[in-house]
Amino acid sequence: MRRHGRKTVGLLLSGVMMLSVLAGCGGNNSTDGESANGGGKSDGETVKLRMVESLTSPKRTELLQKMIDQFETENPTIQVELISPPFDQADNKIRTMLAGKQDLDVMEVRDLNVAEFVNNKYTEPLDAYAAKWSDYATVTATAKSVGTVGENLYFMPSGLYLRQMFYRQDWLKEKGLEVPETWQELVDTAAALTDSSKNRYGFSFRGGPGSNGTTDTMILSYNGDNVNLDDSQFTKDGKTIYSTPEAKQAMELYMKLYKEASPPDSINWGFSEQVQAFTSGVTGILLQDPDVIQSLQQSMDEGTWATAPMPKGPNGKALMAAGASGWGIPSYSKHKEEAWKLIEFMSSPKQNTAFSKDYGLIPVHTAAAEDEFFKTGPYKTLLDMGNQPDVFVSYKPAFQYPGTGQWGQVSAESQQSFLLGKTSLDDLLKKWDEYWANEKTKMQK
Amino acid sequence: MNNRKLFIVLSLVPALLLVLVFTCYPFFKGIVMAFQEYKLFDLNNVPFVGFDNFKAAFDDPKFMHALTNSAYWVFVSLFFQFVIGFALALLLKKPFRGRGIYQGFVFYSWALSGFLIGMIWKWIFNSQMGPVNDILMRLGIIDERIGFLSDPKWAMVSVIVANVWYGIAFFAIMLLAALQSVPGELYEAADMDGAGTVRQLFSVTLPYIMPTVITTTLLRAIWIFNDPTIIYGMTNGGPAGSTHVLSSFMLDKIIYAGDYGAASAVGVIMIGILLLYTIFYLSVTRSEKVGDF
């Protein structure tokens, strides 16, 4: 009797476990079914939107949640669930959600991956929605351009990143140096500031991930007018920007910048070391986006640092590209109207300007340029650069090529090998030239 | 009888399902992907390309470099982890005041994530702002700062140091448990036979805990081989790919290139290496008690 009883319990238990496992496997399907029903009955009932962010940080999540709360108060029939995966995994998480067609209505798309999303047909074109939006007229051309692939707008930028120069005002004064305006001046100034016995270096170099932010910028500015601005890895006659004598000059100077003006260790530095070195007084010049402004303000004394425009090439031009991430709608979302409503709310001049101020971005509406906040202090140079489009020439980054994703890594590794003397300058440029010529051929197939 | 068979089958189903879904499927999917051109940029088009991914791997000097680095990474790390871990276990075996707290400190590193450890050691070895250089300078041992992570000569040594630190705790824990199971009478008998401490260590302690030693070193070797986190956190394979091991090289293919086909090919090669290594190791050590802890 006892034995029999135990067996029955065992059978039951294993049955329950199996069921729960099966239920777990089928989980996706059943939620899909439910939301399909929910979608059909959305009129008058509460709609639940799911939104995912990519550039997650505690502060940013808080700011987004604040906007969402206001949106929910104004739109009582719409509820928003914000998913905030950790920054390092966020883009992969979003990809997985999209590939598995998991419920998602608003997602953060980045300039780096928008082409990939469009290519896989994950994103909905937003043009039809934007056409009906009254504030769209004041969205800056740059913001529109970043969110556009081919003919269509695929995401609405939540703010723009633009690189500028941060420098130690007190160090320059102490040595009687002027603020550098060209790359050559920057290298000379930085070399003059360097005193390795005091552990003081002129330039916050970044040789690790993201190093192409410097190498490509220098090569582009050295090529100057010759660059095809719409296809910026190539010159106007269709060669890669790495094949020109100007590219060689730029990289010779780059070597000098590392050898004579940067900490030797910085060959493997990334974002955090680069910024930390500047805030802790190891380095004197930093090229970065406006989202570092707040940490500089927090950790450095006022008056010790200031901002200046990006350095120019030998022909007096600096090529620049605004970066951005923003909000898009998955092509399979069942609540596209409501999703756009949320995007429209977050992108309104009022919300967007507030978000940009709190987080350290350039707002996407032209009107914000009139705001005192952006006309003074560290943001001023960004507007100044924007006001001189002939000098600070804007180009479209080559995000449409599949190889862009890997370029950062390829570029960083070969550049390190060059700085260590393991690769010659000619071989380096040949490698880069071949990489992009190859991308071009693949694209034309 | 039939009922009993049914019961056995039903009881096995949940476990089998879990293994199928979470182990077998990804494993076979990975092998299939190794023969496909499977890139994130174009998921609608994933043709089979035969051995192209494998060929590309063996043609890549970075892969071959990662392969030799993997050998250093595993054996040098394992050797020091074992020796220091064993020494700590011997020290911790005898009761003393505050042993519990001390044990806590020794085991603490094992509780941290490898990525976090990589981040911490990256700062420790930073040549401008890190404490190692600062201490060496102040002690007058060096005149110029050493680029532990920026000089290819030092970078591999530095990541191995971090890995040794991480893995000591594992050996300390496992070997301490094994040491505590050695019967005291054996030592008494050895004493009476006139064996000294060193003799006791090699003739009593080591033979007795040999099965644990073999199992733990085998397991640990596999883990070290497969673990990219410390290198990923500390150097990301740099400078110029000089610290890549196979696992970090594979991760690199996924994170930066979005090339799952190439990454899977490296993964399949790693499985092959581990399989050969395990067979070799177990047949050389040939202990019947392996697996007993």
Side-chain angles (χ1 to χ4, degrees):
Chain A
M1 184 63 204
R2 265 191 84 152
R3 276 192 69 119
H4 186 73
R6 219 185 263 167
K7 208 191 251 178
T8 319
V9 171
L11 253 174
L12 271 174
L13 257 178
S14 63
V16 169
M17 273 180 71
M18 192 175 77
L19 274 178
S20 54
V21 168
L22 287 175
C25 294
N28 257 337
N29 295 337
S30 64
T31 41
D32 269 5
E34 272 164 34
S35 64
N37 292 338
K41 289 187 282 181
S42 67
D43 292 328
E45 273 182 36
T46 307
V47 171
K48 199 165 179 205
L49 294 179
R50 292 183 91 199
M51 166 174 168
V52 62
E53 65 171 317
S54 159
L55 305 175
T56 314
S57 71
K59 183 171 177 203
R60 193 168 184 270
T61 305
E62 193 188 310
L63 293 172
L64 288 177
Q65 193 58 53
K66 208 171 83 186
M67 278 202 277
I68 290 171
D69 291 344
Q70 285 183 41
F71 176 75
E72 285 178 336
T73 327
E74 286 181 26
N75 298 278
T77 58
I78 306 178
Q79 277 187 339
V80 184
E81 179 197 349
L82 176 64
I83 306 165
S84 306
F87 171 71
D88 285 330
Q89 291 132 39
D91 284 334
N92 271 331
K93 163 92 183 159
I94 296 173
R95 269 186 203 119
T96 318
M97 292 181 83
L98 291 168
K101 297 227 180 328
Q102 290 178 34
D103 281 352
L104 191 62
D105 304 292
V106 176
M107 60 175 171
E108 182 155 24
V109 184
R110 300 173 63 184
D111 48 10
L112 319 170
N113 60 18
V114 62
E116 175 197 321
F117 286 1
V118 172
N119 201 39
N120 286 321
K121 301 193 173 58
Y122 289 152
T123 40
E124 179 82 2
L126 301 177
D127 307 78
Y129 302 99
K132 287 183 274 176
W133 173 35
S134 55
D135 288 323
Y136 192 57
T138 59
V139 173
T140 57
T142 322
K144 283 179 191 164
S145 147
V146 179
T148 301
V149 175
E151 301 291 304
N152 298 94
L153 181 75
Y154 283 98
F155 71 92
M156 185 59 218
S158 55
L160 300 172
Y161 297 87
L162 196 61
R163 206 148 279 195
Q164 65 177 333
M165 190 196 301
F166 299 88
Y167 63 94
R168 286 294 295 261
Q169 216 166 10
D170 48 348
W171 290 16
L172 288 189
K173 210 176 270 172
E174 192 185 301
K175 296 243 170 185
L177 295 164
E178 294 290 315
V179 181
E181 290 189 4
T182 64
W183 280 102
Q184 186 64 54
E185 287 174 22
L186 177 120
V187 174
D188 295 341
T189 311
L193 290 174
T194 302
D195 182 352
S196 58
S197 66
K198 284 197 211 154
N199 197 22
R200 192 187 258 203
Y201 295 87
F203 188 68
S204 243
F205 194 82
R206 177 174 179 178
S211 65
N212 60 321
T214 314
T215 51
D216 284 348
T217 307
M218 283 181 82
I219 289 173
L220 281 164
S221 292
Y222 266 71
N223 278 304
D225 283 332
N226 201 13
V227 176
N228 179 352
L229 298 176
D230 295 316
D231 193 6
S232 57
Q233 294 293 352
F234 299 90
T235 62
K236 281 177 178 151
D237 30 347
K239 292 190 295 184
T240 74
I241 52 169
Y242 307 102
S243 65
T244 63
E246 286 83 6
K248 205 169 166 177
Q249 283 174 25
M251 289 310 289
E252 275 163 359
L253 190 67
Y254 180 74
M255 177 65 110
K256 198 175 166 209
L257 179 63
Y258 172 67
K259 290 258 148 143
E260 293 177 19
S262 309
D265 205 34
S266 58
I267 191 167
N268 218 7
W269 283 4
F271 173 81
S272 51
E273 291 96 339
Q274 183 194 26
V275 176
Q276 176 82 23
F278 186 73
T279 54
S280 64
V282 174
T283 55
I285 297 174
L286 169 74
L287 303 175
Q288 257 305 338
D289 291 333
D291 53 344
V292 302
I293 289 176
Q294 295 196 340
S295 55
L296 300 195
Q297 282 169 337
Q298 275 162 19
S299 49
M300 297 172 79
D301 293 330
E302 218 183 301
T304 57
W305 61 281
T307 61
M310 280 294 279
K312 296 169 217 140
N315 47 15
K317 306 234 157 151
L319 269 70
M320 345 219 310
S325 72
W327 307 110
I329 304 178
S331 48
Y332 59 84
S333 158
K334 305 200 174 70
H335 308 290
K336 287 180 186 151
E337 286 297 331
E338 291 85 356
W340 173 256
K341 209 166 181 180
L342 174 61
I343 295 177
E344 201 178 287
F345 177 83
M346 293 190 295
S347 312
S348 68
K350 187 176 154 230
Q351 293 292 339
N352 181 259
T353 309
F355 179 74
S356 302
K357 278 183 194 174
D358 289 338
Y359 190 61
L361 295 167
I362 306 168
V364 297
H365 290 279
T366 44
E370 301 306 313
D371 197 312
E372 263 323 292
F373 183 85
F374 296 100
K375 278 162 88 175
T376 52
Y379 293 90
K380 184 176 173 292
T381 15
L382 296 172
L383 290 186
D384 288 350
M385 287 193 285
N387 290 334
Q388 302 170 64
D390 299 336
V391 180
F392 298 96
V393 184
S394 159
Y395 69 89
K396 187 139 175 98
F399 292 131
Q400 74 271 28
Y401 293 93
T404 324
Q406 201 182 355
W407 174 237
Q409 186 67 0
V410 169
S411 169
E413 249 182 47
S414 38
Q415 162 264 151
Q416 286 179 338
S417 172
F418 165 62
L419 294 177
L420 291 170
K422 288 180 176 173
T423 305
S424 73
L425 176 54
D426 288 326
D427 287 346
L428 175 77
L429 288 169
K430 202 174 125 211
K431 184 173 181 183
W432 290 358
D433 177 49
E434 275 167 10
Y435 186 91
W436 283 100
N438 188 24
E439 284 297 311
K440 187 83 170 178
T441 337
K442 275 195 269 177
M443 194 76 154
Q444 279 162 348
K445 256 187 221 165
Chain B
M1 197 59 194
N2 256 341
N3 209 351
R4 191 175 155 74
K5 269 187 187 159
L6 181 73
F7 170 68
I8 293 171
V9 170
L10 274 178
S11 310
L12 285 174
V13 164
L16 281 178
L17 264 180
L18 287 175
V19 172
L20 273 177
V21 171
F22 294 106
T23 310
C24 297
Y25 175 72
F27 182 74
F28 287 110
K29 177 80 178 165
I31 292 180
V32 172
M33 278 161 83
F35 295 95
Q36 283 176 309
E37 187 186 313
Y38 202 108
K39 289 187 176 158
L40 265 190
F41 199 84
D42 196 356
L43 292 175
N44 302 319
N45 180 26
V46 286
F48 280 93
V49 290
F51 283 91
D52 281 8
N53 287 328
F54 293 91
K55 261 185 233 145
F58 284 110
D59 285 344
D60 187 348
K62 270 161 58 190
F63 172 83
M64 300 310 287
H65 188 70
L67 194 67
T68 33
N69 267 352
S70 276
Y72 286 116
W73 170 246
V74 171
F75 293 114
V76 178
S77 303
L78 190 69
F79 177 78
F80 286 104
Q81 286 181 359
F82 178 78
V83 171
I84 303 174
F86 190 39
L88 274 172
L90 286 173
L91 288 176
L92 286 171
K93 203 185 135 199
K94 297 198 188 87
F96 57 88
R97 247 180 90 106
R99 184 169 77 153
I101 294 172
Y102 191 71
Q103 250 176 8
F105 278 119
V106 170
F107 297 165
Y108 160 75
S109 69
W110 192 243
L112 293 175
S113 98
F115 185 67
L116 185 66
I117 289 170
M119 301 298 278
I120 296 170
W121 280 91
K122 180 161 88 169
W123 282 109
I124 294 179
F125 279 128
N126 186 302
S127 89
Q128 263 64 43
M129 299 164 263
V132 174
N133 264 300
D134 198 45
I135 291 168
L136 292 177
M137 293 272 279
R138 278 165 203 253
L139 290 177
I141 296 172
I142 52 169
D143 301 326
E144 261 184 54
R145 289 165 189 275
I146 300 174
F148 286 109
L149 298 178
S150 53
D151 187 337
K153 284 200 299 273
W154 283 100
M156 202 62 213
V157 176
S158 307
V159 291
I160 288 176
V161 167
N163 193 31
V164 168
W165 179 82
Y166 178 41
I168 288 171
F170 172 77
F171 280 111
I173 298 168
M174 300 311 289
L175 296 176
L176 180 60
L179 286 177
Q180 281 166 345
S181 71
V182 182
E185 303 91 70
L186 290 182
Y187 293 110
E188 282 167 25
D191 256 344
M192 287 173 69
D193 290 344
T197 323
V198 177
R199 185 69 201 271
Q200 282 186 14
L201 175 67
F202 285 99
S203 301
V204 179
T205 315
L206 266 178
Y208 199 90
I209 64 167
M210 209 47 181
T212 310
V213 171
I214 292 170
T215 318
T216 48
T217 45
L218 177 66
L219 276 180
R220 196 67 199 118
I222 296 174
W223 288 341
I224 298 174
F225 184 74
N226 279 334
D227 179 25
T229 49
I230 290 182
I231 288 186
Y232 184 67
M234 267 177 95
T235 62
N236 203 4
S242 58
T243 53
H244 263 313
V245 294
L246 287 180
S247 52
S248 67
F249 181 74
M250 179 174 76
L251 203 65
D252 197 69
K253 287 272 173 226
I254 293 178
I255 295 179
Y256 293 100
D259 191 340
Y260 283 73
S264 301
V266 177
V268 169
I269 295 169
M270 286 171 68
I271 294 172
I273 294 173
L274 280 183
L275 207 64
L276 289 177
Y277 172 75
T278 310
I279 293 169
F280 172 76
Y281 191 79
L282 289 182
S283 62
V284 166
T285 51
R286 214 180 294 190
S287 170
E288 282 150 24
K289 283 189 184 165
V290 169
D292 287 356
F293 275 89

